[in-house]
């Protein structure tokens, strides 16, 4: 009876409101179709695009991340106790990263904090090294090389990346190992007698990481520099500027958004790299992602791992935002 | 300080293509010199060779008597104003103007002073902090000039700097450029495809076609005494009449042009029996209505009848198109006296002109317009 009443009133209401809704809907529709996006793609395609993007964002990115964030504030419980009285939110996973166990002698958890700091610094170093290596290449491709040359160069840059990441990392081991190509060659030349352990000195790691992201560094910068009118470079030169000032005052300011977007990507990916540090890192050095991986894997402590991962993510975003602020680049410019 | 510029048998090739072919001339210090020619004839290439962006394939560029080979654009005492201006969009107007001074290591204060001084010169006082994008076309034009003048060059090179402006502004900038040149007293080398610009501003003009310099001279001499068919047809309006040379005297050539026997000034380049052009300017054609004066008079020299095709009113003059022997109509320009006389289509007219005002030249290549 009750159900019937609800349905009945609902139908009645709907009938009463129908003309109003219809009028409003017409209004709404004209407003929607006035939006450029809908006008360009048509109703069906726009709906599909919006739904697809929203679904992608929500299910693949936002929900898992939120889930992970929530996870990071919980205790690591055996399955039986999940949902029980002990399953409450806590800050202890974060506390652990900073202070370690209460029973420890030291105040701070230096072991993990130093790995974290080292990862950030090393990623900055890798980013800067990549920038220094790739800017001249990007400039050459965009402003100096003639059509055919530039295409050949792009090919030479891309083809090595058909080899997969792990294989490439091992190739770097072979290159830099104590019995590796470089050591053998240098010993053969008589530069030194004892092999130098490049891997222990993390040379292999930095080389491997830098190489892994050169394309991500080159192409955004290339795009930015390519859009620079060549006459501006010549005008600066004609006014007497030496090459470094032309770059400093004309090319780099123009390419700044491209440089920022490339550096952001390379920094984020370096800080989040796992395979290269695993394979090329020296025996004593750890990458922060390796610590996270240990928590999830051998440590079996997902909440702890989530907390570490979340800290890394936030730290990276904060760092990138700060740097962008300092260099006066906005997110809008980067996506141009 | 102004320096002279010498092109010594300058040839520039891009692969097999010869963009500049044996250019040989000397531009005096303090001169306003123009290169005039249709688009693609090699003007920019010459300018870039003077400023140091193109190397001569053969020959030399000398500035102030010194061979410029191996001296880069940043080391030459020239300043180039680009066809698209190439102002720096991320710098303010003042920073743009002072860029060359920044390069030379002047401090901020001195740069500011000099920039303000130049802003005064180009009538943009107090606008130094604007971005270039906030200026109008004419203002940008002047900023480009100020930026080039800031480095106190001995030679200023201008690559069609007025082509992007509208007509009124263009005409105004012509006088302004000429005034600036007089004030600063340096050598201006100006490139244009617009003969009006070249004629009004220049001390001397080099007329170019397909990489070759056809004639060098002041405005009067290229206009009144063209040396080649190309110059005659490119500089100003001109009516070519083709014919065969009948006789040659020291002063005049007589030709059979089909519609009439034509007597024209001899420039000493024609032989009897040769094909040639006689050129008469529209303003030198005299029109009268009807088929010849006086009954039974033989068609004398430099006179023919032609029907009117169209009349175009231009204000101070009327341009009358007449059917000639070739597809291209013959154009006559007659002053508008305000008598309301009309040359309506189909009207038969008699055309005549003085032999002194026609010039006979060998068949070269004509400018196609
Ligand atoms: N760097 C170059 N490489 C090949 N051809 C060029 C180059 N620069 C100019 N040219 C050619 O030389 C000719 C003359 O060009 P340009 O000097 O720019 O003509 P203008 O300035 O008189 O219009 C053109 O046909 C052009 O295509
Ligand atoms: Mg040009």
């Amino acid at each position: 009876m009750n159900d019937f009443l609800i349905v009945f009133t609902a139908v009645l209401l709907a009938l009463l409101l129908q003309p109003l809704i219809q009028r409003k809907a017409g209004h709404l529709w004209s407003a929607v179709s006035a939006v450029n996006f809908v006008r360009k793609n048509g109703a069906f395609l726009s709906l599909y695009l919006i739904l697809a993007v929203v679904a992608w964002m929500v299910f693949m990115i936002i929900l898992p991340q939120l889930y992970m964030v929530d996870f990071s504030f919980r205790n690591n419980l055996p399955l039986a106790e999940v949902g029980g009285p002990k399953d409450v939110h806590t800050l202890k996973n974060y506390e652990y990263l900073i202070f370690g166990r209460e029973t420890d002698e030291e105040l701070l958890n230096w072991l993990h904090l130093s790995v974290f700091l080292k990862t950030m610094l090393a990623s900055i170093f890798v980013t800067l090294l990549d920038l220094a290596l790739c800017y001249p290449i990007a400039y050459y491709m965009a402003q100096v090389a003639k059509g055919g040359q530039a295409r050949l160069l792009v090919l030479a840059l891309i083809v090595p990346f058909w080899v997969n990441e792990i294989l490439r990392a091992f190739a770097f081991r072979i290159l830099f190992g104590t019995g590796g190509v470089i050591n053998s060659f240098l010993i053969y030349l008589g530069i030194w007698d004892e092999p130098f352990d490049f891997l222990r000195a993390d040379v292999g790691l930095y080389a491997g990481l830098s190489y892994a992201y050169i394309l991500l560094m080159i192409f955004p910068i290339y795009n930015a520099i390519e859009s620079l009118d060549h006459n501006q470079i010549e005008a600066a030169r004609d006014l007497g500027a030496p090459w470094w000032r032309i770059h400093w005052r004309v090319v780099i300011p123009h390419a700044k958004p491209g440089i920022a977007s490339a550096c952001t990507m390379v920094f984020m990916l370096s800080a989040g790299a796992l395979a290269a540090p695993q394979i090329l890192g020296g025996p004593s050095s750890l990458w922060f992602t390796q610590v996270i991986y240990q928590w999830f894997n051998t440590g079996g402590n997902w909440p702890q791992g989530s907390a570490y991962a979340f800290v890394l993510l936030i730290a990276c975003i904060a760092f990138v935002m700060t740097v962008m602020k300092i260099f006066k680049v906005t997110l809008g410019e980067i996506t141009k | 300080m102004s320096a002279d510029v010498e092109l010594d048998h300058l040839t520039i090739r891009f692969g097999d293509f010869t963009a500049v072919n044996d250019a040989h001339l000397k531009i005096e210090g303090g001169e306003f010199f123009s290169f005039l020619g249709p688009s693609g004839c090699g003007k920019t290439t010459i300018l870039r060779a003077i400023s140091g962006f193109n190397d001569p394939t053969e020959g030399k560029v000398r500035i102030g008597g010194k061979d410029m080979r191996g001296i880069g654009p940043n080391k030459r005492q020239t300043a180039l104003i680009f066809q698209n201006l190439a102002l720096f969009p991320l710098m303010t107007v003042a920073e743009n103007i002072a860029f060359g001074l920044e390069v030379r290591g002047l401090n901020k204060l001195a740069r500011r002073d000099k920039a303000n001084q130049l802003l005064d010169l180009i009538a943009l006082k107090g606008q130094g902090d604007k971005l270039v994008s906030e200026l109008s076309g004419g203002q940008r034009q002047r900023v480009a000039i100020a930026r080039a003048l800031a480095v106190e060059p001995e030679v200023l090179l201008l690559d069609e700097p007025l082509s992007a402006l509208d007509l009124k502004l263009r005409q105004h900038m012509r006088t302004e450029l000429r005034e600036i040149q007089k004030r600063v007293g340096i050598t201006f080398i100006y490139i244009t495809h617009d003969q009006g610009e070249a004629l009004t501003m220049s001390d001397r003009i080099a007329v170019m076609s397909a990489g070759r310099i056809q004639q060098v001279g002041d405005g009067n001499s290229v206009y009144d005494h063209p040396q080649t068919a190309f110059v005659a047809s490119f500089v100003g309006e001109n009516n070519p009449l083709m014919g065969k040379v009948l006789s040659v005297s020291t002063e005049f050539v007589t030709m059979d042009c089909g519609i009439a026997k034509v007597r024209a000034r001899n420039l000493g380049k024609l032989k009897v029996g040769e094909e040639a052009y006689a050129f008469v300017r529209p303003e030198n054609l005299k029109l009268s209505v009807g088929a010849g004066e006086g009954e039974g008079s033989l068609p004398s020299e430099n006179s023919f009848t032609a029907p009117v095709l169209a009349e175009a009113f231009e204000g101070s003059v009327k341009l009358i198109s007449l059917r000639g022997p070739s597809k291209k109509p013959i154009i006559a320009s007659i002053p508008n006296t305000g008598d309301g006389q009309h040359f309506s289509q189909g009207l038969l007219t008699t055309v005549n002109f003085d032999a002194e005002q026609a010039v006979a030249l060998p068949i070269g290549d004509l400018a196609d317009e």
Side-chain angles (χ1 to χ4, degrees):
Chain A
M1 189 64 207
N2 210 352
D3 286 350
F4 172 74
L5 222 93
I6 290 172
V7 171
F8 179 74
T9 43
V11 169
L12 203 68
L13 221 69
L15 282 175
L16 280 174
L17 290 178
Q18 194 261 346
L20 199 75
I21 290 172
Q22 205 162 32
R23 200 142 23 99
K24 283 273 180 242
H27 237 71
L28 191 72
W29 175 239
S30 64
V32 165
S33 56
V35 175
N36 235 335
F37 179 71
V38 178
R39 203 180 320 147
K40 207 167 72 186
N41 297 310
F44 181 74
L45 190 60
S46 350
L47 194 70
Y48 168 73
L49 286 174
I50 290 169
L51 281 182
V53 171
V54 168
W56 165 267
M57 287 289 286
V58 170
F59 292 109
M60 309 296 261
I61 299 172
I62 297 177
L63 278 184
Q65 293 290 328
L66 283 180
Y67 192 70
M68 196 196 77
V69 171
D70 178 65
F71 226 67
S72 73
F73 288 104
R74 288 183 183 275
N75 289 307
N76 188 25
L77 298 171
L79 208 59
E81 291 182 43
V82 171
K86 278 195 187 164
D87 196 357
V88 290
H89 285 103
T90 167
L91 282 174
K92 74 171 215 205
N93 295 318
Y94 292 92
E95 270 167 21
Y96 183 80
L97 171 60
I98 300 171
F99 299 111
R101 249 179 277 284
E102 274 163 44
T103 51
D104 286 349
E105 279 172 30
E106 303 232 12
L107 175 63
L108 297 175
N109 183 1
W110 273 120
L111 182 65
H112 287 168
L113 282 179
S114 65
V115 171
F116 176 75
L117 278 179
K118 199 201 122 186
T119 302
M120 297 293 277
L121 287 177
S123 301
I124 292 172
F125 175 72
V126 166
T127 308
L128 292 179
L129 183 67
D130 251 6
L131 179 59
L133 287 175
C134 295
Y135 176 85
I137 299 175
Y139 177 80
Y140 180 81
M141 275 164 50
Q143 291 285 348
V144 184
K146 306 269 182 300
Q149 262 177 344
R151 250 173 286 138
L152 212 66
L153 199 58
V154 170
L155 211 64
L157 284 168
I158 290 178
V159 167
F161 284 85
W162 292 354
V163 177
N164 86 46
E165 192 190 351
I166 310 279
L167 229 60
R168 238 182 305 127
F170 276 110
F172 269 82
R173 265 194 97 98
I174 293 170
L175 208 60
F176 285 112
T178 40
V181 177
I182 294 181
N183 267 314
S184 314
F185 188 63
L186 289 177
I187 289 170
Y188 169 77
L189 284 185
I191 308 281
W192 57 55
D193 318 319
E194 289 287 295
F196 178 75
D197 196 343
F198 289 110
L199 294 177
R200 186 177 291 278
D202 277 342
V203 174
L205 175 60
Y206 292 137
L209 278 177
S210 305
Y211 185 67
Y213 305 123
I214 53 167
L215 292 187
L216 290 171
M217 187 57 95
I218 288 176
F219 283 110
I221 301 180
Y222 166 80
N223 266 338
I225 297 181
E226 225 232 328
S227 66
L228 176 67
D229 174 13
H230 191 72
N231 282 343
Q232 295 212 357
I233 295 168
E234 293 194 333
R237 185 132 171 266
D238 188 60
L239 290 167
W243 65 269
W244 60 267
R245 195 187 289 274
I246 296 176
H247 284 278
W248 183 244
R249 291 287 276 145
V250 179
V251 185
I252 292 175
H254 178 87
K256 206 166 68 171
I259 293 173
S261 117
C263 286
T264 306
M265 270 197 284
V266 170
F267 172 77
M268 293 277 198
L269 287 171
S270 300
L274 183 60
Q278 200 91 287
I279 296 167
L280 290 168
S284 61
S285 78
L286 265 182
W287 211 248
F288 197 65
T289 47
Q290 287 173 285
V291 179
I292 298 172
Y293 181 70
Q294 280 169 10
W295 281 125
F296 276 101
N297 194 27
T298 42
N301 190 342
W302 282 39
Q304 189 68 65
S306 299
Y308 274 42
F310 191 54
V311 167
L312 182 64
L313 177 67
I314 294 295
C316 286
I317 292 177
F319 178 75
V320 165
M321 290 298 191
T322 317
V323 172
M324 274 167 54
K325 189 136 208 156
I326 292 171
F327 287 102
K328 301 202 180 78
V329 188
T330 61
L331 264 182
E333 275 180 293
I334 282 189
T335 53
K336 247 196 297 198
Chain B
M1 263 282 277
S2 67
D4 51 32
V5 175
E6 225 181 315
L7 308 182
D8 186 356
H9 294 289
L10 176 70
T11 296
I12 296 171
R13 291 194 194 95
F14 299 110
D16 290 340
F17 178 74
T18 306
V20 177
N21 198 344
D22 196 31
H24 188 73
L25 53 84
K26 183 172 181 190
I27 299 161
E28 301 299 334
E31 192 175 15
F32 197 123
F33 191 94
S34 293
F35 285 93
L36 170 65
S39 156
C41 72
K43 305 181 297 290
T44 299
T45 308
I46 285 192
L47 211 63
R48 289 173 62 84
I50 298 173
S51 58
F53 289 108
N54 281 341
D55 288 326
T57 314
E58 282 161 31
K60 287 188 174 78
V61 173
R62 287 197 205 91
I63 300 177
K66 201 168 151 232
D67 186 2
M68 287 287 120
R69 179 168 288 277
I71 298 176
N74 51 345
K75 298 270 190 285
R76 297 191 183 187
Q77 59 274 46
T78 58
L80 174 60
I81 294 176
F82 288 76
Q83 200 158 4
N84 70 350
L85 304 185
L87 294 171
F88 307 123
L90 299 175
M91 300 183 198
T92 64
V93 169
E95 279 178 310
N96 261 285
I97 293 177
F99 182 81
L101 307 172
E102 181 187 327
V103 168
R104 282 156 183 75
L106 257 71
N107 67 33
K108 243 191 172 121
L109 220 67
R111 279 180 352 227
R112 191 83 221 177
D113 272 0
K114 184 81 197 230
N116 282 336
Q117 224 175 306
L118 282 159
L119 281 167
D120 272 1
L121 178 82
I122 58 168
L124 279 177
K125 198 178 179 130
Q127 312 218 38
D129 291 326
K130 282 191 178 170
L131 282 176
V132 173
S133 56
E134 294 168 311
L135 300 182
S136 71
Q139 289 173 329
R140 276 181 220 182
Q141 185 67 62
R142 299 206 292 264
V143 172
I145 294 168
R147 181 177 74 174
L149 290 178
V151 300
E152 295 178 356
E154 292 173 22
V155 181
L156 189 69
L157 308 166
L158 304 99
D159 190 352
E160 311 210 16
L162 306 186
S163 54
L165 304 181
D166 57 60
L167 186 67
K168 260 263 154 51
L169 205 52
R170 210 153 59 212
Q171 273 163 353
H172 172 72
M173 285 302 293
R174 283 182 193 175
T175 40
E176 197 154 316
L177 269 178
R178 185 72 220 210
E179 263 165 33
I180 290 175
Q181 194 260 343
K182 287 212 176 101
R183 218 171 323 157
V184 293
I186 61 175
T187 315
F188 271 42
I189 301 180
Y190 190 92
I191 275 187
T192 181
H193 65 265
D194 178 337
Q195 37 116 357
E197 273 175 25
L199 291 173
T200 47
M201 289 192 286
S202 324
D203 294 319
R204 281 193 306 156
I205 301 167
V207 184
M208 284 185 76
S209 160
R212 280 196 174 276
I213 291 180
Q214 301 267 329
Q215 185 174 349
V216 181
D218 62 15
N220 272 329
S221 75
V222 287
Y223 191 83
D224 291 331
H225 308 282
Q227 299 293 314
T228 66
F230 178 84
V231 175
S233 57
F234 187 74
V235 182
E237 278 291 325
N238 227 333
N239 294 305
L241 301 169
M242 200 197 253
K244 210 178 210 117
V245 177
L246 296 176
S247 68
V248 179
S249 71
T250 45
E251 245 179 294
F252 292 102
V253 174
T254 311
M255 294 165 55
D256 177 10
C257 291
I259 49 167
K261 217 156 97 183
V262 170
R263 212 154 65 93
R265 273 180 3 241
N266 177 17
L267 289 172
K269 290 179 183 163
L270 290 168
K271 287 194 284 289
V272 173
E274 223 178 330
E275 292 276 320
Y277 278 120
F279 287 96
V280 204
R281 298 218 178 259
E283 64 266 29
N284 293 332
L285 291 179
K286 291 184 276 288
L287 285 193
S288 54
V289 179
E293 279 122 67
E295 289 298 306
S297 70
L298 287 167
S300 59
E301 278 172 351
N302 295 354
S303 170
F304 56 90
T305 57
V308 173
L309 289 174
E311 181 193 59
F313 183 66
E314 296 248 311
S316 59
V317 294
K318 286 181 195 167
L319 296 182
I320 320 284
S321 322
L322 305 161
R323 169 142 358 100
S326 71
K327 261 201 215 108
K328 227 182 124 197
I330 293 171
I331 310 286
S333 156
I334 56 172
N336 176 21
T337 50
D339 57 4
Q341 188 193 12
H342 277 295
F343 290 86
S344 47
Q345 192 181 352
L347 184 72
L348 202 65
T349 61
T350 301
V351 183
N352 53 69
F353 53 91
D354 293 341
E356 283 78 20
Q357 286 171 329
V359 58
L361 291 166
I363 304 232
D365 42 345
L366 289 188
D368 35 35
E369 279 155 286

